Amino acid sequence: MTGYIIRRVLQALPVFFGTTLLIYFMVFAMPGDPIVALFGDKGVNPAIADQLRAQYHLDQPFIVQYLIYIGGIFQGDFGTSFSGQPVGQILASTFPVTLRLALIAVVIEMIVGVAIGLVAGLRKGKWFDNSSLVVSLILISTPVFVIAFVSQFFFAIKLDWARATVSGEANFPELILPGMVLATLGVAYIIRLTRSSVIETASQDFVRTAYSKGLSKSRVTRVHILRNSMIPVVTYVSIDFGILLVGATVTEGIFNVPGVGRTLYQAIIRGEGPTVVSFVTVMVLLYLAVNLLTDLLYAALDPRIRYDK
Amino acid sequence: MTNKDFHFVADIDKTQVAEIDAVRISDKPTNLYLDAWRDLRKRPMFYIAGLLILLVTTVAFFPDLFTQTPPNDNCLLANSNGAPTAGHPLGFTRQGCDIYSRIVHGTSTSLSVGLIVIVLTTLLGIIFGSLAGFYGKWVDAILSRAGDIFFSIPYILAAVVIMSVFSDFRNVWVISAAIGIFAWPSTARVLRGEILRVKQSDYVMASTAIGVSRFKILLRHVMPNSIAPVIAVTTISLAAAIVAEATLSFLGVGLPTSTMSWGNDISQAQADLRTAPQVLIWPSLALSITSLAFIMMGEAIRDALDPKARAQR
């Protein structure tokens, strides 16, 4: 097991450096001079501009800037945004919000998706199964901003059940509506994954054996069918959780959630190199960690999977 | 009583074994794609999706068949966010332009972005996925890690950055490239996985044994047998690309507002969501139905090509 983890971490290293280099290069290539933009309409003071350029290492060649930056990351220094705030601080204030949002979304996904998918799979071909498939198709093909607008319009504006936008605190109750919107796509995918996985598991020999041992239908469903159908669902949920942690740019923007996605988007639009690169770096680290954890979870769910020879 | 009467096994000529084993030379030879095509024609989903795709394509190529109202002329601010009137079935946008006409004329933008993106992702996906899966070892290690680099950045965010880099050259080609460059790894992964399976087959070993070159085996034997899931994934990613274009326009880094696209219309309508939701709903509906059509087609094709899914129905 340890050997496997070490191998995976070693494989992740080139991906980490590749991704950060790529994003650094893209941000570097953005047109416009962020230092000049800082002066606004006041006119550029060359002495201060040069001083700022030196402070942010903007006078160095691209690859040197990148190395200085990566060196800082390994010492726990995520750099400073052009407005003077340490990026680490921005991350610390936005990340918990996105984490809460992602947790709400994942919990909704798991409960609703698995419940509907399980019932649909057990009643293959009946009206419940067919209608849940149609609904999931419609959810998958509707863009998230449309779902966000429609639910904002109905639940917040027409029915007044929730606030249309989230306050600066972004506590749990306020995040339920955006969390529901974020969860819709996942719910649709989990319904389909659970359904086909349940259908496949239900036809296995061990399920027939369980029935012939005289176990009750509910026990067979819970212990034998459901548990053994969970691998694709767990994969999906963990990857989805990783994606949600990265921040849902669109949903966070529409509901004014002060999370990672919205902050990152604004940083890109303003050409804030250090903020963008730091956020993406953390995102990539998270993504790689979630991937590794997912693979380790397989082994916990299915004892037949072993990573060591 | 002869011994024969105690036979409990039926005589071979009285069973269907001969019938089943017989090779009917007169029958057309069948293959995966022919079977899938036969299966596809039995699915209502295939016909619904096909008709919708046909409709959207016709609208994209011949918008004038569907509306005589020019989309941008005669926009009267007096009609701003107006209700439907005769000749303007869906009402008016904030600028007083005809919503229906704008939707009809915006179709070709969405569809071209979708098509260019899938051409790009399929090309890159096939090159990276097939070489990584077939040659394995260090080729696989390098190409798969390269894919991971692009895969670990969410492609909407990456596209936002690219569109900011090219902020002065925003057009259909640039936005398609921005989406496609970060979307290909999923195609490559699907193909790689399928090739890993197919290259274990006996017919590949047989070709190797009679001395067919590796590259020829890949082209002639492995690729045709592993491309099926790619077809389904591609159809579905066409829908994803259309949605991505609208999302980027919605975020304000998509096509310039002078280009008519559903994403731009939705983006401009969001300010009036409280007072005039219909301005936002109609282009969103057009977008959703189009993406639904391609997703349904992709699912139908995937199920038809997958014998396991066929049995599940």
Side-chain angles (χ1 to χ4, degrees):
Chain A
M1 191 63 115
T2 328
Y4 175 75
I5 295 176
I6 292 173
R7 261 205 319 279
R8 284 292 300 263
V9 171
L10 283 179
Q11 281 183 352
L13 277 177
V15 178
F16 172 77
F17 285 108
T19 313
T20 45
L21 191 64
L22 183 69
I23 197 88
Y24 210 95
F25 175 72
M26 290 201 300
V27 172
F28 188 82
M30 276 199 214
D33 187 337
I35 299 296
V36 173
L38 281 180
F39 286 98
D41 296 333
K42 268 167 60 183
V44 180
N45 180 335
I48 297 179
D50 284 347
Q51 190 202 331
L52 280 171
R53 285 211 178 89
Q55 186 187 333
Y56 288 107
H57 309 293
L58 292 177
D59 48 354
Q60 310 273 359
F62 162 70
I63 197 75
V64 177
Q65 284 190 35
Y66 172 75
L67 290 177
I68 292 175
Y69 170 76
I70 284 291
I73 292 255
F74 282 110
Q75 291 160 27
D77 173 18
F78 284 97
T80 317
S81 80
F82 288 139
S83 55
Q85 206 181 358
V87 177
Q89 223 173 63
I90 305 179
L91 266 173
S93 68
T94 54
F95 192 74
V97 177
T98 296
L99 184 66
R100 284 200 286 272
L101 189 61
L103 274 177
I104 294 176
V106 164
V107 168
I108 296 177
E109 271 173 19
M110 278 297 271
I111 296 174
V112 180
V114 170
I116 297 181
L118 177 65
V119 176
L122 292 175
R123 297 182 188 163
K124 179 177 95 175
K126 305 276 171 53
W127 71 267
F128 184 87
D129 179 29
N130 290 329
S131 43
S132 73
L133 279 182
V134 171
V135 170
S136 68
L137 257 187
I138 292 174
L139 288 181
I140 289 173
S141 47
T142 313
V144 65
F145 55 91
V146 173
I147 296 178
F149 278 132
V150 170
S151 53
Q152 198 181 30
F153 182 71
F154 275 107
F155 294 120
I157 298 172
K158 285 273 160 187
L159 298 169
D160 203 21
W161 286 353
R163 287 178 48 171
T165 52
V166 171
S167 72
E169 288 165 27
N171 47 30
F172 267 108
E174 282 181 331
L175 290 175
I176 289 179
L177 185 60
M180 273 167 56
V181 169
L182 267 187
T184 46
L185 188 66
V187 167
Y189 276 117
I190 291 176
I191 289 177
R192 323 191 107 225
L193 276 176
T194 314
R195 174 189 178 268
S196 55
S197 189
V198 161
I199 292 175
E200 204 184 321
T201 316
S203 66
Q204 298 282 319
D205 289 342
F206 64 78
V207 174
R208 198 176 32 195
T209 311
Y211 277 123
S212 44
K213 279 196 301 190
L215 295 181
S216 71
K217 191 162 188 282
S218 84
R219 187 170 164 79
V220 175
T221 307
R222 271 185 294 117
V223 179
H224 296 266
I225 296 181
L226 193 57
R227 187 181 155 181
N228 286 296
S229 312
M230 279 296 109
I231 283 202
V233 181
V234 167
T235 321
Y236 177 82
V237 169
S238 50
I239 290 172
D240 197 43
F241 187 62
I243 293 173
L244 290 174
L245 281 184
V246 162
T249 317
V250 176
T251 312
E252 288 186 6
I254 290 173
F255 289 98
N256 201 31
V257 180
V260 175
R262 197 176 65 120
T263 315
L264 178 54
Y265 168 70
Q266 286 170 348
I268 294 174
I269 295 299
R270 284 197 224 114
E272 289 237 8
T275 320
V276 177
V277 180
S278 304
F279 270 66
V280 172
T281 307
V282 176
M283 267 160 47
V284 172
L285 283 176
L286 269 173
Y287 171 83
L288 296 172
V290 166
N291 262 359
L292 177 60
L293 283 178
T294 311
D295 286 354
L296 296 181
L297 246 176
Y298 286 163
L301 274 177
D302 188 339
R304 284 171 299 189
I305 297 175
R306 287 271 177 275
Y307 287 116
D308 287 321
K309 283 158 209 160
Chain B
M1 215 181 256
T2 59
N3 202 20
K4 206 182 172 201
D5 293 333
F6 286 98
H7 257 295
F8 292 107
V9 180
D11 283 339
I12 194 83
D13 51 324
K14 288 185 183 125
T15 64
Q16 296 177 323
V17 174
E19 172 81 0
I20 291 167
D21 281 353
V23 178
R24 289 190 207 84
I25 298 171
S26 59
D27 278 4
K28 270 194 201 159
T30 181
N31 65 35
L32 177 67
Y33 297 95
L34 214 63
D35 280 348
W37 173 235
R38 266 185 211 146
D39 183 77
L40 210 52
R41 281 182 301 175
K42 286 185 217 134
R43 290 164 187 268
M45 213 188 203
F46 168 70
Y47 289 100
I48 299 171
L51 279 177
L52 281 174
I53 291 173
L54 198 67
L55 176 73
V56 173
T57 320
T58 321
V59 174
F61 277 104
F62 311 104
D64 295 327
L65 285 180
F66 294 86
T67 174
Q68 259 70 53
T69 320
N72 287 319
D73 305 344
N74 309 324
C75 298
L76 291 174
L77 275 178
N79 290 330
S80 183
N81 292 339
T85 56
H88 304 286
L90 303 181
F92 299 90
T93 66
R94 190 178 205 187
Q95 301 296 330
C97 302
D98 182 63
I99 293 180
Y100 174 67
S101 174
R102 282 190 69 89
I103 291 177
V104 167
H105 284 272
T107 311
S108 64
T109 313
S110 293
L111 224 52
S112 355
V113 171
L115 285 177
I116 303 171
V117 169
I118 61 158
V119 167
L120 200 64
T121 53
T122 313
L123 273 181
L124 287 171
I126 285 182
I127 293 171
F128 277 73
S130 60
L131 296 181
F134 190 64
Y135 289 103
K137 306 226 172 75
W138 61 270
V139 182
D140 184 22
I142 292 176
L143 296 183
S144 292
R145 291 297 87 70
D148 285 349
I149 290 173
F150 287 89
F151 198 71
S152 56
I153 308 179
Y155 73 100
I156 286 290
L157 273 178
V160 171
V161 178
I162 295 182
M163 292 307 281
S164 309
V165 174
F166 291 98
S167 55
D168 296 333
F169 316 91
R170 287 181 185 163
N171 58 39
V172 171
W173 295 96
V174 171
I175 199 171
S176 308
I179 298 168
I181 281 183
F182 283 85
W184 63 266
S186 39
T187 311
R189 283 184 172 196
V190 169
L191 184 60
R192 174 180 173 272
E194 194 64 14
I195 283 186
L196 283 182
R197 194 179 62 79
V198 169
K199 80 174 180 186
Q200 308 289 334
S201 312
D202 291 343
Y203 55 78
V204 173
M205 200 201 281
S207 311
T208 315
I210 59 171
V212 182
S213 80
R214 295 290 286 163
F215 193 64
K216 203 167 173 189
I217 294 177
L218 174 62
L219 283 190
R220 293 285 299 279
H221 302 285
V222 176
M223 282 299 275
N225 288 296
S226 43
I227 206 75
V230 175
I231 300 173
V233 167
T234 302
T235 321
I236 293 172
S237 48
L238 203 155
I242 290 176
V243 171
E245 180 272 319
T247 310
L248 289 175
S249 297
F250 164 78
L251 288 171
V253 291
L255 296 164
T257 43
S258 54
T259 310
M260 242 181 302
S261 86
W262 295 338
N264 273 334
D265 282 7
I266 294 169
S267 165
Q268 275 155 36
Q270 57 167 317
D272 296 320
L273 175 69
R274 283 161 201 252
T275 49
Q278 81 279 2
V279 184
L280 186 132
I281 300 297
W282 291 119
S284 309
L285 201 63
L287 181 64
S288 307
I289 290 176
T290 308
S291 95
L292 179 67
F294 283 106
I295 287 177
M296 272 170 32
M297 181 57 89
E299 297 238 320
I301 293 176
R302 186 181 57 201
D303 288 358
L305 282 169
D306 179 7
K308 218 160 105 190
R310 247 184 267 169
Q312 261 192 25
R313 267 187 311 152

